Amino acid sequence: MFAVKKIREKFPIYKKFPNLVYLDSGATSLKPQPVLDKMNEYYSEYGVNIHRGVYELSFQATDEYDMAREKVARFLNAKTEEIIFTANTTDALNKLALMYSKENIGPGDVVLTSELEHHSSLLPWMKICEEKQAELRYIPLNPEGRITFENFKKVFDDKVKVVALTYVSNVMGYKTPLEEIIPFAHQNGSVVIVDAAQAVQHFKVDVKEMDCDFLAFSGHKMLGPTGVGVLYGKKRYLNQLKPVFYGGDMNQDVYLDRVEIKEIPYCFEAGTPPIAEIIGLGKAIDCLEEIGLENIENHCHGVYLYAMEKLSGIKGLTIYNKNADIPIIAFNIDDVHPHDAATCFDQDNICIRAGHHCAQLVSKWLKCTGTLRASIYLYNDKNDIDKFVISVKETIKLFQKLEGVQ
Ligand SMILES: Cc1ncc(COP(=O)(O)O)c(C=O)c1O
């Protein structure tokens, strides 16, 4: 039995807002007390800089920081030196695109991506392709809006140097068939970059098993704090990349005319990192592992199925993704702007996201101005869904009445 009630007790926001129906975990997850306590512990007990001080407190901060990297590595089944801390997914994917394209992308090369991408996966490569006269090519989506291996193969050729794809769409909740795409891309000489911002919090991601070359995610969507993200890269690729940021803590020796940089991953982490956040991310991983990702997945799927059952058949509602792989419902109330609908839900203490979700190409593909997104996570239960469904029905009624008045 998945004890949601007990889990909710760990999230202090429910103490302040007992009636909160939080269905926006796709944007960011709520934060449990142990993560907040761990960050507070750093600030109040050993809140000094890392890697610099030759005194006990600095050693302690450094140990905690290093331990967080080990936890992330274990979480992904990577080596510790393959884990680079960044500010978030956006930061990770931008840095990687700049570093990788420097020597590996030129005129006529192709970067293969999709219309399901979050802007942080798409736009860095769009800009690089523009500057380098490379081609940004899209995998056509199938009628359901999914990336398929068949369509991937149709547009893949020997000019493709980089495949940059989302693992799970933040709008549609669809999983990309990377288990087929990655070996095919490798056999044909391309690297694969995975945006896992909507994946790692929902199911086990094993980078060795997947065999992806690079992968990025954010701490704040997986019970961790904002301000910290992760870039994973295969050691042999990271060893070939040159940093784009230079400064403190990433160099070994500095001369008048040159700098010798540190080994990976430190050469990619210039300046004081978000120490408290990185330590907090380590604690978030402890929390996820304690509950168990598989248990979280099963629970969320159950709540998702319940929501779909309750929502299906409601007249005046369009659901765009009837069969999502992670618990995301993309929908609209017919003829109502998503922002107006979300404002009505807010009156009932229901938080859901409205708009294009930083993935405008998806809205364009769906031919709508934007969508409403209800995203479910481990602290949600059927009671949340019941309140949400009532609010949906009332919102539909309200707008029908307003239409009648006009
Ligand atoms: C699939 C996906 N990629 C990337 C991002 C960007 O994450 P961040 O804003 O933490 O950099 C998000 C955030 O919503 C996302 O859902």
Side-chain angles (χ1 to χ4, degrees):
M1 260 296 280
F2 195 83
V4 188
K5 225 174 160 192
K6 274 241 153 327
I7 284 171
R8 277 166 97 109
E9 281 168 11
K10 290 205 165 134
F11 289 82
I13 201 164
Y14 286 118
K15 288 197 184 88
K16 188 161 171 63
F17 302 106
N19 295 322
L20 175 70
V21 177
Y22 188 71
L23 294 171
D24 196 18
S25 298
T28 198
S29 73
L30 301 177
K31 318 301 173 207
Q33 193 64 49
V35 169
L36 307 179
D37 289 345
K38 191 71 194 172
M39 289 168 55
N40 205 27
E41 177 193 288
Y42 162 73
Y43 281 122
S44 46
E45 294 180 25
Y46 47 91
V48 302
N49 216 328
I50 52 148
H51 292 161
R52 291 160 172 81
V54 281
Y55 50 88
E56 193 48 41
L57 279 181
S58 182
F59 296 146
Q60 194 180 345
T62 303
D63 282 351
E64 292 281 349
Y65 178 85
D66 290 345
M67 233 161 14
R69 197 191 305 272
E70 282 164 23
K71 280 181 193 172
V72 174
R74 216 174 345 101
F75 184 65
L76 294 178
N77 192 21
K79 300 184 181 100
T80 44
E81 61 270 32
E82 293 175 321
I83 302 300
I84 300 164
F85 287 122
T86 63
N88 47 40
T89 309
T90 308
D91 184 39
L93 293 175
N94 270 277
K95 273 182 188 151
L96 175 62
L98 288 171
M99 292 193 291
Y100 192 80
S101 64
K102 234 180 192 177
E103 287 171 15
N104 297 295
I105 297 291
D109 288 339
V110 172
V111 176
L112 190 53
T113 187
S114 87
E115 286 158 89
L116 282 189
E117 299 314 301
H118 187 279
H119 294 160
S120 63
S121 167
L122 177 72
L123 298 186
W125 287 111
M126 188 182 278
K127 293 318 286 175
I128 281 162
C129 287
E130 238 175 67
E131 281 165 20
K132 298 230 171 193
Q133 285 124 46
E135 180 194 341
L136 187 65
R137 190 180 290 172
Y138 292 88
I139 305 165
L141 302 180
N142 79 354
E144 204 188 343
R146 286 179 185 270
I147 300 166
T148 64
F149 183 47
E150 288 66 36
N151 284 354
F152 166 81
K153 278 191 292 184
K154 276 184 205 156
V155 290
F156 192 100
D157 61 28
D158 60 4
K159 293 205 179 82
V160 176
K161 295 291 180 287
V162 170
V163 175
L165 289 175
T166 188
Y167 199 165
V168 178
S169 157
N170 66 315
V171 183
M172 305 293 267
Y174 294 151
K175 231 176 181 176
T176 305
L178 294 174
E179 63 290 349
E180 295 172 290
I181 287 175
I182 291 173
F184 186 92
H186 285 166
Q187 276 160 27
N188 294 283
S190 163
V191 295
V192 181
I193 299 168
V194 178
D195 170 359
Q198 297 288 347
V200 288
Q201 65 276 49
H202 286 292
F203 53 86
K204 176 74 190 159
V205 172
D206 180 324
V207 289
K208 288 281 171 296
E209 197 181 309
M210 283 171 78
D211 200 27
C212 59
D213 302 296
F214 301 97
L215 180 138
F217 63 89
S218 298
H220 68 92
K221 293 180 198 284
M222 50 178 291
L223 309 186
T226 54
V228 57
V230 168
L231 172 63
Y232 156 83
K234 275 183 185 161
K235 195 173 168 179
R236 69 187 151 95
Y237 284 122
L238 292 183
N239 276 326
Q240 288 166 17
L241 295 180
K242 299 210 172 67
V244 277
F245 285 175
Y246 285 77
D249 211 29
M250 54 78 70
N251 51 70
Q252 196 67 48
D253 261 314
V254 177
Y255 303 91
L256 281 174
D257 58 348
R258 71 191 165 89
V259 53
E260 276 169 20
I261 60 172
K262 278 187 181 165
E263 71 277 21
I264 63 165
Y266 307 108
C267 58
F268 301 116
E269 294 176 351
T272 300
I275 304 168
E277 287 77 5
I278 287 168
I279 292 171
L281 172 61
K283 193 69 193 172
I285 290 175
D286 289 344
C287 292
L288 287 174
E289 288 179 340
E290 214 171 280
I291 301 163
L293 271 175
E294 218 176 297
N295 294 332
I296 294 171
E297 193 179 358
N298 289 337
H299 166 74
C300 293
H301 188 62
V303 178
Y304 165 76
L305 289 181
Y306 181 76
M308 289 302 279
E309 184 196 319
K310 294 281 166 186
L311 290 171
S312 68
I314 297 181
K315 270 211 175 118
L317 193 74
T318 300
I319 296 177
Y320 298 101
N321 59 344
K322 296 255 163 66
N323 206 5
D325 301 309
I326 67 155
I328 280 182
I329 304 164
F331 69 104
N332 263 325
I333 292 178
D334 299 345
D335 304 320
V336 177
H337 193 282
H339 284 168
D340 293 337
T343 305
C344 290
F345 299 148
D346 185 38
Q347 307 300 305
D348 296 330
N349 303 313
I350 296 166
C351 307
I352 72 166
R353 180 93 187 260
H356 51 65
H357 318 288
C358 301
Q360 285 192 21
L361 297 186
V362 187
S363 295
K364 291 201 165 96
W365 188 87
L366 289 168
K367 297 192 172 46
C368 59
T369 49
T371 54
L372 291 158
R373 178 183 71 184
S375 46
I376 293 161
Y377 205 30
L378 73 166
Y379 28 68
N380 295 123
D381 58 12
K382 291 181 178 172
N383 196 25
D384 285 340
I385 301 302
D386 289 339
K387 289 182 186 164
F388 169 54
V389 170
I390 291 171
S391 191
V392 166
K393 286 179 179 165
E394 279 173 1
T395 304
I396 292 173
K397 257 196 239 155
L398 173 76
F399 280 96
Q400 281 170 347
K401 241 193 241 163
L402 288 176
E403 231 169 63
V405 170
Q406 279 171 359

